[in-house]
Every structure is written in structure tokens, then in C-alpha cells.
Amino acid sequence: MRILVTGGAGFIGSHVVAAHLEAGHEVRVLDALLPAVHPVYPDGPPGLDGAELVVGDVRNAATVDRVLEGVDAVNHQAAMVGLGIDVQDMPAYAGINDLGTAVLLAGMARAGIGRLVFASSMVVYGEGRYECAEHGVVPAAPRRRSDLDEGRFDPPCPVCGRELAWGRVGEETPPDPRNTYAATKLAQEHLSSAWARSTGGTAVGLRYHNVYGPRMPRDTFYAGVASIFRSSLEGGKAPQVYEDGGQMRDFVHVTDVAQANLKAFENPPEESTLRTYNVASGTPHTVGDMARALAEAFGGPAPEVTGQYRIGDVRHVVASPSRAQEELGYAAEVSFEDGMREFATAELRAAPQEP
């Protein structure tokens, strides 16, 4: 099968490309190599040996038509990631994530390509699943600045104000995007669903949880927390952990994410529809756990808990991977302990180009 991978020169995309090649597929990569996230590559982007690279923008219809020629399926990884620094980022996020997806889907319809796998995200859930001792499962009330300023980080019950117990979210959980990036990722799901119904194609949205691993970007606003902690340790500084470090997450290794993409192509939906899957390890840890494990493996300073917060962050979001296990045969193989030991010394992607 010949697969187009958009964003294939990126952190996750390059591992997806490698997995497709190893499985015997032909791979064409479309990547804009935007200087805000990519350094200059004297020898070409890493991880793409054996793939055809086309430098271009997924928002350009002519470019999309050209790269879709002779393609059997599309793996859409191109995206602007991170929470968004402020509302002034909204046009950039919507342009790359949503307009880019719409242009790609329209091109696929013109080319008669009916198989799509794309990167969604856990952020579409907003806060995760919560239960009140008195009122049962309830949506978490939005966290207020006044509470965060006073160190009350857990969202209260919207009915009685009591502390809630967190649980695992399944794919049927109603979406509740709480920042710009989350809103654009949910829009990608809606666009893909509309495309599948209109064209008879199949779409699989993989809701990635906290992905980490080799070639993770460093020194950019869009880097993940694991990369930020690694960069601090390399600079001889203690990782700065926001809130009280008790934020619960699921950290999943990038090679497991790449395997989930392979499984999604091997097990497409039986109907013309969108099917979503959590891509997670199934073993949650706190952000503080991750910082301590990474610092210990690196041999650097112990983390410092700062009490600082970002208003767009959520407190706890942990997924159930059962649907992916049952329908795709996917299960993460890299343990948290092994993954953090590897990541402590893994190669990171160099800093992006100067503006």
C-alpha cells in the first residue's frame, strides 16, 4: 500500500513513517518544515530514510492534489500542537489544523481515496471523568482562577462543590474542549466524520495521550512537558512542576503510538464512518511522578513543585484503552519505567530556526 503521511517529518510523524516502511508500505511524506518547529536539517529530516519527501503546505490544494497521485491511503499527522499561548494564536491553529484538514479531505475526495487515519488528541475531552460521592458521575466544573491562586487545583462538583474522584474516560465521553488546540482537534474529527459519510470512506481518529520519546522537539512553545523537563535537566536546572504535581496523565511512548497507526490501517471501520480510539499506555502516572522518574534516570536535580498554573490546562485526564485493544488489537509495550530511562538520554530534535 502507498501511504501519504502528512507532517511526516515531525516528532510523531517520523516514527509513524518508520513504522509504515518497516511494515512494507511505500510512504510519501508531505511536510511544510515550518521554521517555528523545525531546525535546518543539513542531511534532511531524521527518520525518513526510504520515504519520498515533498516539502509543501497541506493548506495548498494544488500541492495536495499532486502528492495524492498514486496514493492508496492517507495518514494525517500534520498539526499545530500545544495549548495555544493566547487567543491571538487562534487563526494559526484553525488555519493549520482545520483548514489544512478540510483541504486534504477535499483532495482525497477528488482523488477517490477512501481510507484515512489521523491524529486526534485526548484534549478533546477537556477534564476527564469525575464522580461525586453524592451525585455520581458529573462534569467537572471549570477551574476558577481564585481557587488556583489559593492552591485548590482539583475541580469541584458542579452541584455541591465537593471534591471529585477522577476516573478513566472512554471514547463515548462527551467532548469538552477547553483551549484553542482542543477546539481545533475536535473540529478535525467533525470534518473527517462528514467526509466519511459524504464519500463512503472510512476515518479513524487516534486520540493520543501524552506522547514522549526520541526526536521530541526541544526549546519551543509547542514542546511537551517531558521535553521541557529534559531540557531543564540538560541545563543543570531542576524541572519546574506546575500546580502540586498531582495532575494525572497517561504517558505513552512514541513507538507505541506508531504501532497504533499501523493497527488502524489493518483494522478499518466496517462502515463509512469515523471511529475514534484512545491511544494510551493504560497505566496512569502524575506529572510529578514523571518529573521524578526522568530526573532520577538523568542523574540531575530533583524537580521543584512551583504551584504555578496555566489557565488552559486540565487537572486529570486518563483514558481507557479497552476499545483500541478489542477492535484494533493495540496494546502499549513500552513500560513507564523503561520509557523514562530511555528518554533521559534519547536524542531530541534540535531547536527551531531563528525567526
Side-chain angles (χ1 to χ4, degrees):
M1 184 161 54
R2 179 175 292 173
I3 301 174
L4 173 68
V5 180
T6 70
F11 162 47
I12 297 175
S14 63
H15 287 274
V16 170
V17 167
H20 283 322
L21 290 169
E22 191 171 319
H25 300 298
E26 295 180 48
V27 178
R28 178 179 294 156
V29 171
L30 174 64
D31 200 299
L33 297 181
L34 295 176
V37 292
H38 286 277
V40 175
Y41 299 112
D43 301 316
L48 302 188
D49 292 345
E52 174 192 356
L53 172 62
V54 177
V55 178
D57 197 318
V58 72
R59 294 169 291 185
N60 185 292
T63 298
V64 167
D65 285 342
R66 178 163 58 92
V67 297
L68 287 174
E69 291 181 6
V71 165
D72 302 303
V74 173
N75 190 310
H76 184 34
Q77 301 290 320
M80 188 172 183
V81 300
L83 296 182
I85 302 166
D86 59 37
V87 295
Q88 299 306 315
D89 284 338
M90 284 183 171
Y93 275 86
I96 293 175
N97 295 353
D98 299 338
L99 176 60
T101 297
V103 171
L104 176 66
L105 294 172
M108 290 176 65
R110 289 191 296 273
I113 300 169
R115 296 186 65 182
L116 171 70
V117 173
F118 68 97
S120 186
S121 173
M122 68 172 190
V123 296
V124 302
Y125 296 120
E127 288 284 356
R129 184 182 185 277
Y130 289 89
E131 188 167 352
C132 174
E134 180 177 353
H135 298 101
V137 176
V138 293
R143 300 197 296 172
R144 297 174 297 189
R145 286 185 183 273
S146 57
D147 287 337
L148 297 171
D149 287 339
E150 294 179 14
R152 294 192 295 271
F153 299 115
D154 286 292
C157 174
V159 181
C160 65
R162 291 184 181 180
E163 185 175 335
L164 299 173
W166 65 268
R168 297 175 186 266
V169 292
E171 291 84 353
E172 73 286 348
T173 301
D176 183 22
R178 297 195 176 193
N179 57 59
T180 295
Y181 174 57
T184 64
K185 296 306 286 185
L186 183 59
Q188 284 185 306
E189 291 192 5
H190 291 323
L191 289 167
S192 300
S193 179
W195 166 84
R197 289 195 304 269
S198 297
T199 65
T202 61
V204 174
L206 300 177
R207 291 174 173 171
Y208 300 159
H209 283 249
N210 290 74
V211 187
Y212 71 98
R215 296 200 291 274
M216 202 171 187
R218 67 162 84 234
D219 301 327
T220 166
F221 288 118
Y222 313 110
V225 65
S227 175
I228 293 170
F229 290 167
R230 245 294 296 275
S231 294
S232 295
L233 290 165
E234 288 181 344
K237 300 177 182 177
Q240 302 294 294
V241 179
Y242 279 17
E243 302 185 17
D244 60 359
Q247 309 93 303
M248 194 64 68
R249 297 289 189 270
D250 189 305
F251 298 97
V252 57
H253 196 272
V254 67
T255 57
D256 284 327
V257 172
Q259 289 302 310
N261 279 268
L262 281 181
K263 295 288 188 181
F265 276 110
E266 294 169 359
N267 301 277
E270 295 181 358
E271 301 177 354
S272 299
T273 186
L274 166 68
R275 191 67 168 160
T276 57
Y277 297 95
N278 290 322
V279 176
S281 73
T283 306
H285 291 84
T286 68
V287 173
D289 288 339
M290 189 269 286
R292 287 187 291 272
L294 192 57
E296 182 177 340
F298 188 85
E304 295 177 357
V305 177
T306 68
Q308 298 178 54
Y309 62 86
R310 295 189 299 179
I311 199 64
D313 279 341
V314 297
R315 179 60 173 172
H316 306 299
V317 55
V318 174
S320 167
S322 59
R323 179 187 287 184
Q325 291 171 348
E326 293 167 5
E327 297 184 13
L328 301 182
Y330 164 78
E333 296 183 357
V334 180
S335 71
F336 176 80
E337 294 76 15
D338 290 344
M340 287 299 155
R341 278 194 294 271
E342 178 215 43
F343 184 62
T345 57
E347 179 184 2
L348 300 184
R349 194 168 67 203
Q353 303 171 41
E354 293 292 334

